[in-house]
Amino acid sequence: MRTVVCPGSFDPFTYGHLDVVRRARSLSDRVIVAVAHNAAKKTLFSVQRRVEMARATIENAQLSNVEVREAPGLLTEFCAEVGAEHIIKGLRNGADLDGELPMALMNRAISGVETLFVLGEPQLSHIASSLVKDVARHGGDIHGMVDPMVVEEIQRALAAQEEK
Ligand code: PNS
């Protein structure tokens, strides 16, 4: 059984991420979405909420053979624990590759695990978690970019932030 890991911060999980998971499914038997910690990012959502939102999106899309798990610590250690042969990440553009390349090379250097890149659907390439949150923060419509449950979660989290 070929297991692959799709890692990310997923703050929150978007339809762009879902597209990558669909592509990863077509290349493997089992996909594990790894909700990991990115030391460079301050997240809006706790890791538990990020896991729940990814799970809800994948359930609503009715994708089988996909699990969502929290991945604390080193991603390469998580890959070894779950028996993943490859990491799969999506690319929207050259800037994505610039960001992904050092991580892919580091992961291979420290563990031997190869990262495979898939090209995301061009019609979704404007979707980024950070931009979705920013559009929502300024009152814009984010339906069609994230699952309806995630729309509600973002609105709730931003409203709670404003109250502080
Ligand atoms: O969605 P992101 O923020 O671009 O994903 C980056 C992520 C979370 C996959 C990366 O920061 C990561 O792998 N974090 C886990 C800790 C780790 O293994 N760090 C070394 C990466 S080379």
Side-chain angles (χ1 to χ4, degrees):
M1 183 189 279
R2 185 178 294 258
T3 300
V4 299
V5 165
C6 288
S9 313
F10 305 121
D11 186 51
F13 196 87
T14 68
Y15 283 158
H17 296 132
L18 187 65
D19 175 47
V20 173
V21 170
R22 281 188 208 279
R23 292 174 198 284
R25 264 179 100 231
S26 73
L27 299 168
S28 65
D29 304 305
R30 176 183 176 224
V31 177
I32 302 183
V33 174
V35 182
H37 183 70
N38 182 342
K41 287 185 184 169
K42 187 180 175 331
T43 59
L44 175 61
F45 296 102
S46 69
V47 69
Q48 291 82 7
R49 293 308 290 146
R50 285 182 273 142
V51 166
E52 284 166 17
M53 287 186 282
R55 276 196 188 131
T57 305
I58 288 161
E59 267 174 35
N60 289 342
Q62 300 186 325
L63 296 190
S64 57
N65 303 327
V66 182
E67 296 163 38
V68 181
R69 295 213 206 158
E70 180 182 346
L74 266 186
L75 181 63
T76 51
E77 286 179 5
F78 179 81
C79 289
E81 272 167 37
V82 300
E85 290 185 28
H86 298 116
I87 294 168
I88 296 190
K89 283 221 108 178
L91 297 177
R92 289 165 296 196
N93 49 45
D96 276 353
L97 180 61
D98 288 346
E100 295 297 338
L101 198 65
M103 291 193 275
L105 290 173
M106 177 58 85
N107 286 332
R108 189 170 66 185
I110 63 178
S111 71
V113 70
E114 295 281 0
T115 300
L116 309 181
F117 294 105
V118 294
L119 297 179
E121 167 61 45
Q123 286 178 348
L124 301 174
S125 66
H126 59 291
I127 302 176
S129 298
S130 55
L131 294 179
V132 168
K133 286 179 288 190
D134 201 43
V135 169
R137 192 172 280 119
H138 293 93
D141 183 9
I142 55 169
H143 288 91
M145 301 182 196
V146 293
D147 187 90
M149 175 266 199
V150 177
V151 175
E152 283 180 23
E153 286 291 331
I154 291 175
Q155 287 167 347
R156 210 184 340 258
L158 292 176
Q161 260 190 349
E162 274 177 23
E163 280 171 18
K164 280 185 190 167

